[in-house]
Amino acid sequence: MNINNGKFLTAEEVYQDLFKKIETLVYMPGERISEHDLCEVYGISRHILRNAITQLKTLELVTVYPQRGTYVSLIDMKRVEDILFIRESVEQEALHRIMHFSDTTELIRKLEENISVQKKIINHEISIDRFNEADTAFHRNLMDAVGRGNVLSLLKDEYVHVKRWKNFELRDQERFEQIIRDHQLIIDAVREKHPVAGRKALHQHLDTVTNLKNVYIDISPEYFILP
């Protein structure tokens, strides 16, 4: 099946499509992806496909084994853990500063409005993409409040590995509800200006490698490299 609808696809367009499919687990960790099949699907030459594969390889999203083929890389949980450590360090500093604000009324309004959006998403037809967008917006509000809204974008290339992990954990519907509860605890701490409670809530929320280790150790170990 050719999906290009008669349009000539560039290596960049093929790369972006494969990137999204790996990130969203259309292609699961460890899955073999056939160059022959992909050339037919996209209606492209092997040269174009291999340029796209090279970009994915640079980000360590695929592993190419000579004589064996190309495989989607397993999710490296130590790498995920390290990226989340950086993210939490940044957000904890932002939250620390917020606790010293004289007025957090507008920030709390934005955060609560965001939670309302998250609840609507899970109370209707759940969309992981839409929920992730709302979740990202929640945390962006915290960073915007201290004038550092773009800081987390510095992790953009690396963060795809965290997104793969997050898309994996969100296959359990209970995780959506837990994330909303975590967000509410953060809001409550900001409202009460309780730095210890805020720090604890944010750590509990972001330390998913520890909190959900049963997923990659017991339930689905074949998709992961253990930390």
Side-chain angles (χ1 to χ4, degrees), residues 18-35:
L18 288 172
F19 178 98
K20 186 66 175 178
K21 287 175 177 174
I22 292 172
E23 177 188 304
T24 57
L25 307 180
V26 173
Y27 293 128
M28 292 295 288
E31 182 175 345
R32 186 177 186 275
I33 51 178
S34 164
E35 288 191 8

Side-chain angles (χ1 to χ4, degrees), residues 15 19 59 61 79 83 152-161:
Y15 158 72
F19 178 98
L59 290 178
L61 291 176
R79 187 173 195 165
I83 298 167
L152 293 178
S153 66
L154 300 176
L155 294 173
K156 181 180 178 181
D157 286 345
E158 283 291 313
Y159 212 73
V160 62
H161 300 283

